[in-house]
Amino acid sequence: MEYDAAAGPLTTGSPGLAARGPTLGAARSVRHSDRMSERRESDPARLVLDNYPFVHRIEARFSDMDVQRHLNNAAITTFYEDTRVNLNRLMYGDELVSGEAEFRLLVLETTVRYLSEAPYPGSYRIGAGVIRFGGSSYQYGLGLFLDDTCVGLSETVMVHVTDAGPTPIPPARRARMEKFAFPVTAA
């Protein structure tokens, strides 16, 4: 944990956000046992690739493998990151990545749950969708699949930020996000 002598501990969980201080929200106090129960009770719909509105393919590289001959946990987190970035680009265009947009999306928190080993070699598909909408934030739910088997889950809380700091997501932007709501429903 980082510590600021004037403000005390910075608990945002991300070095980039810690530098901005507590304006992005204070960490909630949750008992460890409560969080463990929450993790064990994953939504069964998250284990089915067809429920995700966006799917990104990634071929595992030799360098993604660790000494156990499966994918390294750090490599898997980059699979989720690459999927989030591609979905953000689809929703908002390249100007978001290039810094030309009048807003930014910051990662507030990412969690990863490993359901089974992810072998090398392998061709993986990562499903992604928005699982929660907030006023100035939203949460992605992602699933890592090898064939039809979900081998991992991830959640990422994103914060909508302008020069004024965290700001409500405008209706037009929210409408774009709602097209990628999880789970996919038949029209």
Side-chain angles (χ1 to χ4, degrees):
M1 176 183 298
E2 291 183 300
Y3 189 85
D4 180 288
L10 300 173
T11 58
T12 57
S14 169
L17 295 180
R20 297 187 185 283
T23 59
L24 294 174
R28 291 181 293 158
S29 175
V30 179
R31 288 190 355 235
H32 181 70
S33 61
D34 292 342
R35 296 197 87 186
M36 293 302 289
S37 297
E38 180 183 316
R39 289 184 186 143
R40 284 194 297 268
E41 297 172 12
S42 294
D43 179 357
R46 297 273 315 277
L47 305 176
V48 179
L49 183 62
D50 288 340
N51 290 333
Y52 290 89
F54 179 78
V55 177
H56 183 63
R57 295 179 185 274
I58 294 182
E59 191 70 32
R61 303 167 304 173
F62 181 78
S63 61
D64 295 330
M65 184 176 55
D66 65 17
V67 296
Q68 307 298 329
R69 301 200 50 79
H70 61 237
L71 298 185
N72 180 279
N73 60 342
I76 290 172
T77 61
T78 66
F79 289 10
Y80 292 127
E81 176 186 48
D82 194 55
T83 302
R84 284 192 321 268
V85 168
N86 278 280
L87 180 50
N88 284 337
R89 287 177 67 192
L90 179 64
M91 285 192 292
Y92 305 116
D94 288 331
E95 69 273 5
L96 181 63
V97 178
S98 69
E100 295 173 12
E102 73 278 2
F103 70 99
R104 296 177 295 147
L105 298 173
L106 302 180
V107 173
L108 179 65
E109 178 180 78
T110 296
T111 60
V112 176
R113 181 174 179 201
Y114 302 97
L115 303 177
S116 65
E117 290 186 356
Y120 175 84
S123 183
Y124 291 87
R125 293 176 295 169
I126 299 91
V130 180
I131 59 174
R132 185 190 61 77
F133 294 91
S136 62
S137 66
Y138 62 98
Q139 184 175 15
Y140 278 133
L142 301 102
L144 176 65
F145 292 83
L146 178 63
D147 300 318
D148 291 326
T149 302
C150 184
V151 298
L153 295 170
S154 178
E155 290 83 33
T156 299
V157 176
M158 305 292 296
V159 179
H160 179 268
V161 178
T162 65
D163 289 341
T167 56
I169 301 167
R173 244 173 246 146
R174 184 175 296 276
R176 288 182 184 181
M177 292 167 41
E178 288 172 350
K179 293 177 183 177
F180 294 95
F182 177 92
V184 170
T185 55

